[in-house]
PDB file of all heavy atoms in Angstrom:
ATOM      1  N   GLN A   1     -22.802 -70.544 -40.206  1.00  0.00           N
ATOM      2  CA  GLN A   1     -23.419 -71.410 -39.210  1.00  0.00           C
ATOM      3  C   GLN A   1     -23.437 -70.747 -37.840  1.00  0.00           C
ATOM      4  O   GLN A   1     -24.422 -70.900 -37.089  1.00  0.00           O
ATOM      5  CB  GLN A   1     -22.662 -72.734 -39.147  1.00  0.00           C
ATOM      6  CG  GLN A   1     -22.804 -73.558 -40.436  1.00  0.00           C
ATOM      7  CD  GLN A   1     -21.853 -74.740 -40.475  1.00  0.00           C
ATOM      8  OE1 GLN A   1     -20.925 -74.844 -39.680  1.00  0.00           O
ATOM      9  NE2 GLN A   1     -22.046 -75.627 -41.461  1.00  0.00           N
ATOM     10  N   ASN A   2     -22.393 -70.003 -37.509  1.00  0.00           N
ATOM     11  CA  ASN A   2     -22.374 -69.303 -36.218  1.00  0.00           C
ATOM     12  C   ASN A   2     -23.534 -68.309 -36.104  1.00  0.00           C
ATOM     13  O   ASN A   2     -24.197 -68.228 -35.041  1.00  0.00           O
ATOM     14  CB  ASN A   2     -21.058 -68.554 -36.051  1.00  0.00           C
ATOM     15  CG  ASN A   2     -19.903 -69.460 -35.668  1.00  0.00           C
ATOM     16  OD1 ASN A   2     -20.100 -70.581 -35.235  1.00  0.00           O
ATOM     17  ND2 ASN A   2     -18.694 -68.957 -35.794  1.00  0.00           N
ATOM     18  N   PHE A   3     -23.777 -67.543 -37.157  1.00  0.00           N
ATOM     19  CA  PHE A   3     -24.847 -66.546 -37.086  1.00  0.00           C
ATOM     20  C   PHE A   3     -26.235 -67.220 -37.050  1.00  0.00           C
ATOM     21  O   PHE A   3     -27.139 -66.714 -36.394  1.00  0.00           O
ATOM     22  CB  PHE A   3     -24.752 -65.559 -38.237  1.00  0.00           C
ATOM     23  CG  PHE A   3     -23.694 -64.499 -38.018  1.00  0.00           C
ATOM     24  CD1 PHE A   3     -22.586 -64.420 -38.809  1.00  0.00           C
ATOM     25  CD2 PHE A   3     -23.850 -63.551 -36.988  1.00  0.00           C
ATOM     26  CE1 PHE A   3     -21.597 -63.452 -38.583  1.00  0.00           C
ATOM     27  CE2 PHE A   3     -22.887 -62.569 -36.765  1.00  0.00           C
ATOM     28  CZ  PHE A   3     -21.772 -62.529 -37.561  1.00  0.00           C
ATOM     29  N   VAL A   4     -26.379 -68.352 -37.717  1.00  0.00           N
ATOM     30  CA  VAL A   4     -27.626 -69.092 -37.616  1.00  0.00           C
ATOM     31  C   VAL A   4     -27.823 -69.576 -36.159  1.00  0.00           C
ATOM     32  O   VAL A   4     -28.931 -69.480 -35.599  1.00  0.00           O
ATOM     33  CB  VAL A   4     -27.649 -70.289 -38.595  1.00  0.00           C
ATOM     34  CG1 VAL A   4     -28.863 -71.196 -38.320  1.00  0.00           C
ATOM     35  CG2 VAL A   4     -27.695 -69.790 -40.024  1.00  0.00           C
ATOM     36  N   LYS A   5     -26.763 -70.064 -35.566  1.00  0.00           N
ATOM     37  CA  LYS A   5     -26.851 -70.500 -34.161  1.00  0.00           C
ATOM     38  C   LYS A   5     -27.157 -69.335 -33.238  1.00  0.00           C
ATOM     39  O   LYS A   5     -28.001 -69.489 -32.303  1.00  0.00           O
ATOM     40  CB  LYS A   5     -25.514 -71.164 -33.757  1.00  0.00           C
ATOM     41  CG  LYS A   5     -25.242 -72.473 -34.470  1.00  0.00           C
ATOM     42  CD  LYS A   5     -23.840 -72.997 -34.153  1.00  0.00           C
ATOM     43  CE  LYS A   5     -23.542 -74.253 -34.934  1.00  0.00           C
ATOM     44  NZ  LYS A   5     -22.157 -74.763 -34.614  1.00  0.00           N
ATOM     45  N   LEU A   6     -26.527 -68.187 -33.449  1.00  0.00           N
ATOM     46  CA  LEU A   6     -26.798 -67.032 -32.613  1.00  0.00           C
ATOM     47  C   LEU A   6     -28.257 -66.587 -32.749  1.00  0.00           C
ATOM     48  O   LEU A   6     -28.902 -66.240 -31.769  1.00  0.00           O
ATOM     49  CB  LEU A   6     -25.851 -65.894 -32.970  1.00  0.00           C
ATOM     50  CG  LEU A   6     -24.391 -66.060 -32.559  1.00  0.00           C
ATOM     51  CD1 LEU A   6     -23.526 -64.969 -33.189  1.00  0.00           C
ATOM     52  CD2 LEU A   6     -24.233 -66.070 -31.049  1.00  0.00           C
ATOM     53  N   ALA A   7     -28.769 -66.580 -33.990  1.00  0.00           N
ATOM     54  CA  ALA A   7     -30.151 -66.186 -34.190  1.00  0.00           C
ATOM     55  C   ALA A   7     -31.116 -67.175 -33.540  1.00  0.00           C
ATOM     56  O   ALA A   7     -32.166 -66.793 -33.023  1.00  0.00           O
ATOM     57  CB  ALA A   7     -30.445 -66.054 -35.692  1.00  0.00           C
ATOM     58  N   CYS A   8     -30.766 -68.451 -33.603  1.00  0.00           N
ATOM     59  CA  CYS A   8     -31.608 -69.464 -32.952  1.00  0.00           C
ATOM     60  C   CYS A   8     -31.640 -69.272 -31.456  1.00  0.00           C
ATOM     61  O   CYS A   8     -32.682 -69.395 -30.827  1.00  0.00           O
ATOM     62  CB  CYS A   8     -31.083 -70.863 -33.296  1.00  0.00           C
ATOM     63  SG  CYS A   8     -32.058 -72.213 -32.605  1.00  0.00           S
ATOM     64  N   ALA A   9     -30.496 -68.921 -30.868  1.00  0.00           N
ATOM     65  CA  ALA A   9     -30.399 -68.771 -29.417  1.00  0.00           C
ATOM     66  C   ALA A   9     -30.942 -67.423 -28.929  1.00  0.00           C
ATOM     67  O   ALA A   9     -31.254 -67.295 -27.736  1.00  0.00           O
ATOM     68  CB  ALA A   9     -28.939 -68.909 -28.985  1.00  0.00           C
ATOM     69  N   ALA A  10     -31.039 -66.432 -29.804  1.00  0.00           N
ATOM     70  CA  ALA A  10     -31.479 -65.104 -29.398  1.00  0.00           C
ATOM     71  C   ALA A  10     -32.969 -65.074 -29.142  1.00  0.00           C
ATOM     72  O   ALA A  10     -33.760 -65.328 -30.073  1.00  0.00           O
ATOM     73  CB  ALA A  10     -31.094 -64.069 -30.460  1.00  0.00           C
ATOM     74  N   PRO A  11     -33.426 -64.787 -27.955  1.00  0.00           N
ATOM     75  CA  PRO A  11     -34.854 -64.807 -27.664  1.00  0.00           C
ATOM     76  C   PRO A  11     -35.641 -63.722 -28.366  1.00  0.00           C
ATOM     77  O   PRO A  11     -36.865 -63.827 -28.500  1.00  0.00           O
ATOM     78  CB  PRO A  11     -34.939 -64.677 -26.145  1.00  0.00           C
ATOM     79  CG  PRO A  11     -33.673 -63.935 -25.783  1.00  0.00           C
ATOM     80  CD  PRO A  11     -32.635 -64.420 -26.741  1.00  0.00           C
ATOM     81  N   TRP A  12     -35.004 -62.669 -28.817  1.00  0.00           N
ATOM     82  CA  TRP A  12     -35.701 -61.509 -29.378  1.00  0.00           C
ATOM     83  C   TRP A  12     -35.697 -61.472 -30.894  1.00  0.00           C
ATOM     84  O   TRP A  12     -36.189 -60.528 -31.494  1.00  0.00           O
ATOM     85  CB  TRP A  12     -35.088 -60.215 -28.819  1.00  0.00           C
ATOM     86  CG  TRP A  12     -35.017 -60.237 -27.321  1.00  0.00           C
ATOM     87  CD1 TRP A  12     -33.865 -60.105 -26.593  1.00  0.00           C
ATOM     88  CD2 TRP A  12     -36.068 -60.368 -26.397  1.00  0.00           C
ATOM     89  NE1 TRP A  12     -34.169 -60.204 -25.250  1.00  0.00           N
ATOM     90  CE2 TRP A  12     -35.518 -60.337 -25.105  1.00  0.00           C
ATOM     91  CE3 TRP A  12     -37.455 -60.516 -26.538  1.00  0.00           C
ATOM     92  CZ2 TRP A  12     -36.311 -60.459 -23.969  1.00  0.00           C
ATOM     93  CZ3 TRP A  12     -38.221 -60.630 -25.377  1.00  0.00           C
ATOM     94  CH2 TRP A  12     -37.652 -60.610 -24.099  1.00  0.00           C
ATOM     95  N   LEU A  13     -35.103 -62.497 -31.531  1.00  0.00           N
ATOM     96  CA  LEU A  13     -35.209 -62.689 -32.976  1.00  0.00           C
ATOM     97  C   LEU A  13     -36.218 -63.817 -33.231  1.00  0.00           C
ATOM     98  O   LEU A  13     -36.098 -64.869 -32.612  1.00  0.00           O
ATOM     99  CB  LEU A  13     -33.874 -63.019 -33.610  1.00  0.00           C
ATOM    100  CG  LEU A  13     -32.828 -61.900 -33.582  1.00  0.00           C
ATOM    101  CD1 LEU A  13     -31.521 -62.384 -34.262  1.00  0.00           C
ATOM    102  CD2 LEU A  13     -33.298 -60.617 -34.260  1.00  0.00           C
ATOM    103  N   HIS A  14     -37.125 -63.597 -34.149  1.00  0.00           N
ATOM    104  CA  HIS A  14     -38.190 -64.574 -34.376  1.00  0.00           C
ATOM    105  C   HIS A  14     -37.949 -65.420 -35.629  1.00  0.00           C
ATOM    106  O   HIS A  14     -38.655 -66.393 -35.841  1.00  0.00           O
ATOM    107  CB  HIS A  14     -39.524 -63.830 -34.560  1.00  0.00           C
ATOM    108  CG  HIS A  14     -39.720 -62.749 -33.549  1.00  0.00           C
ATOM    109  ND1 HIS A  14     -39.604 -61.405 -33.854  1.00  0.00           N
ATOM    110  CD2 HIS A  14     -39.982 -62.812 -32.208  1.00  0.00           C
ATOM    111  CE1 HIS A  14     -39.795 -60.695 -32.771  1.00  0.00           C
ATOM    112  NE2 HIS A  14     -40.037 -61.515 -31.774  1.00  0.00           N
ATOM    113  N   HIS A  15     -36.977 -65.054 -36.403  1.00  0.00           N
ATOM    114  CA  HIS A  15     -36.776 -65.615 -37.744  1.00  0.00           C
ATOM    115  C   HIS A  15     -35.280 -65.825 -37.948  1.00  0.00           C
ATOM    116  O   HIS A  15     -34.461 -65.027 -37.496  1.00  0.00           O
ATOM    117  CB  HIS A  15     -37.329 -64.656 -38.780  1.00  0.00           C
ATOM    118  CG  HIS A  15     -37.587 -65.214 -40.126  1.00  0.00           C
ATOM    119  ND1 HIS A  15     -36.595 -65.444 -41.031  1.00  0.00           N
ATOM    120  CD2 HIS A  15     -38.759 -65.598 -40.735  1.00  0.00           C
ATOM    121  CE1 HIS A  15     -37.137 -65.914 -42.167  1.00  0.00           C
ATOM    122  NE2 HIS A  15     -38.447 -66.022 -42.008  1.00  0.00           N
ATOM    123  N   SER A  16     -34.903 -66.892 -38.628  1.00  0.00           N
ATOM    124  CA  SER A  16     -33.494 -67.208 -38.846  1.00  0.00           C
ATOM    125  C   SER A  16     -32.833 -66.393 -39.944  1.00  0.00           C
ATOM    126  O   SER A  16     -31.625 -66.343 -40.062  1.00  0.00           O
ATOM    127  CB  SER A  16     -33.355 -68.720 -39.152  1.00  0.00           C
ATOM    128  OG  SER A  16     -32.041 -69.179 -39.103  1.00  0.00           O
ATOM    129  N   GLY A  17     -33.673 -65.737 -40.794  1.00  0.00           N
ATOM    130  CA  GLY A  17     -33.137 -64.937 -41.877  1.00  0.00           C
ATOM    131  C   GLY A  17     -32.762 -65.794 -43.076  1.00  0.00           C
ATOM    132  O   GLY A  17     -33.289 -66.877 -43.281  1.00  0.00           O
ATOM    133  N   GLY A  18     -31.864 -65.294 -43.887  1.00  0.00           N
ATOM    134  CA  GLY A  18     -31.456 -65.990 -45.117  1.00  0.00           C
ATOM    135  C   GLY A  18     -29.954 -66.041 -45.238  1.00  0.00           C
ATOM    136  O   GLY A  18     -29.266 -66.743 -44.511  1.00  0.00           O
ATOM    137  N   THR A  19     -29.398 -65.237 -46.157  1.00  0.00           N
ATOM    138  CA  THR A  19     -27.947 -65.179 -46.369  1.00  0.00           C
ATOM    139  C   THR A  19     -27.370 -64.275 -45.263  1.00  0.00           C
ATOM    140  O   THR A  19     -27.037 -63.103 -45.518  1.00  0.00           O
ATOM    141  CB  THR A  19     -27.616 -64.664 -47.760  1.00  0.00           C
ATOM    142  OG1 THR A  19     -28.305 -65.443 -48.719  1.00  0.00           O
ATOM    143  CG2 THR A  19     -26.132 -64.737 -48.033  1.00  0.00           C
ATOM    144  N   VAL A  20     -27.212 -64.827 -44.087  1.00  0.00           N
ATOM    145  CA  VAL A  20     -26.737 -64.025 -42.959  1.00  0.00           C
ATOM    146  C   VAL A  20     -25.301 -63.531 -43.177  1.00  0.00           C
ATOM    147  O   VAL A  20     -24.890 -62.537 -42.587  1.00  0.00           O
ATOM    148  CB  VAL A  20     -26.847 -64.778 -41.620  1.00  0.00           C
ATOM    149  CG1 VAL A  20     -28.305 -64.908 -41.206  1.00  0.00           C
ATOM    150  CG2 VAL A  20     -26.220 -66.180 -41.712  1.00  0.00           C
ATOM    151  N   CYS A  21     -24.560 -64.225 -43.993  1.00  0.00           N
ATOM    152  CA  CYS A  21     -23.296 -63.725 -44.570  1.00  0.00           C
ATOM    153  C   CYS A  21     -23.004 -64.658 -45.729  1.00  0.00           C
ATOM    154  O   CYS A  21     -23.538 -65.755 -45.824  1.00  0.00           O
ATOM    155  CB  CYS A  21     -22.152 -63.694 -43.570  1.00  0.00           C
ATOM    156  SG  CYS A  21     -21.527 -65.336 -43.070  1.00  0.00           S
ATOM    157  N   GLU A  22     -22.146 -64.234 -46.640  1.00  0.00           N
ATOM    158  CA  GLU A  22     -21.782 -65.084 -47.752  1.00  0.00           C
ATOM    159  C   GLU A  22     -20.686 -66.070 -47.323  1.00  0.00           C
ATOM    160  O   GLU A  22     -19.602 -65.635 -46.872  1.00  0.00           O
ATOM    161  CB  GLU A  22     -21.249 -64.260 -48.930  1.00  0.00           C
ATOM    162  CG  GLU A  22     -22.335 -63.566 -49.731  1.00  0.00           C
ATOM    163  CD  GLU A  22     -23.176 -64.522 -50.595  1.00  0.00           C
ATOM    164  OE1 GLU A  22     -22.726 -65.666 -50.758  1.00  0.00           O
ATOM    165  OE2 GLU A  22     -24.235 -64.106 -51.072  1.00  0.00           O
ATOM    166  N   PRO A  23     -20.924 -67.376 -47.430  1.00  0.00           N
ATOM    167  CA  PRO A  23     -19.860 -68.349 -47.155  1.00  0.00           C
ATOM    168  C   PRO A  23     -18.934 -68.454 -48.351  1.00  0.00           C
ATOM    169  O   PRO A  23     -19.085 -69.329 -49.227  1.00  0.00           O
ATOM    170  CB  PRO A  23     -20.633 -69.631 -46.901  1.00  0.00           C
ATOM    171  CG  PRO A  23     -21.881 -69.499 -47.698  1.00  0.00           C
ATOM    172  CD  PRO A  23     -22.209 -68.005 -47.756  1.00  0.00           C
ATOM    173  N   THR A  24     -17.958 -67.565 -48.422  1.00  0.00           N
ATOM    174  CA  THR A  24     -17.136 -67.447 -49.653  1.00  0.00           C
ATOM    175  C   THR A  24     -16.155 -68.582 -49.838  1.00  0.00           C
ATOM    176  O   THR A  24     -15.499 -68.658 -50.892  1.00  0.00           O
ATOM    177  CB  THR A  24     -16.361 -66.117 -49.630  1.00  0.00           C
ATOM    178  OG1 THR A  24     -15.461 -66.100 -48.484  1.00  0.00           O
ATOM    179  CG2 THR A  24     -17.309 -64.931 -49.528  1.00  0.00           C
ATOM    180  N   ASP A  25     -16.083 -69.492 -48.873  1.00  0.00           N
ATOM    181  CA  ASP A  25     -15.212 -70.663 -49.037  1.00  0.00           C
ATOM    182  C   ASP A  25     -15.940 -71.838 -49.706  1.00  0.00           C
ATOM    183  O   ASP A  25     -15.351 -72.906 -49.894  1.00  0.00           O
ATOM    184  CB  ASP A  25     -14.644 -71.103 -47.696  1.00  0.00           C
ATOM    185  CG  ASP A  25     -15.701 -71.367 -46.645  1.00  0.00           C
ATOM    186  OD1 ASP A  25     -16.825 -70.842 -46.780  1.00  0.00           O
ATOM    187  OD2 ASP A  25     -15.396 -72.045 -45.652  1.00  0.00           O
ATOM    188  N   VAL A  26     -17.190 -71.615 -50.121  1.00  0.00           N
ATOM    189  CA  VAL A  26     -17.982 -72.636 -50.810  1.00  0.00           C
ATOM    190  C   VAL A  26     -18.282 -72.103 -52.211  1.00  0.00           C
ATOM    191  O   VAL A  26     -18.584 -70.912 -52.375  1.00  0.00           O
ATOM    192  CB  VAL A  26     -19.296 -72.914 -50.063  1.00  0.00           C
ATOM    193  CG1 VAL A  26     -20.090 -74.008 -50.785  1.00  0.00           C
ATOM    194  CG2 VAL A  26     -19.015 -73.337 -48.630  1.00  0.00           C
TER     195      VAL A  26
END
């Protein structure tokens, strides 16, 4: 969730991506 938030806030990224990291606790 943190990396999704960072990508959302970053003005120079246009896309949120996909598996930005594996949530291994799920």
Side-chain angles (χ1 to χ4, degrees):
Q1 293 170 348
N2 282 345
F3 281 113
V4 171
K5 293 173 183 179
L6 289 171
C8 182
W12 309 119
L13 293 180
H14 316 106
H15 198 282
S16 192
T19 306
V20 288
C21 70
E22 284 287 346
T24 61
D25 54 339
V26 181

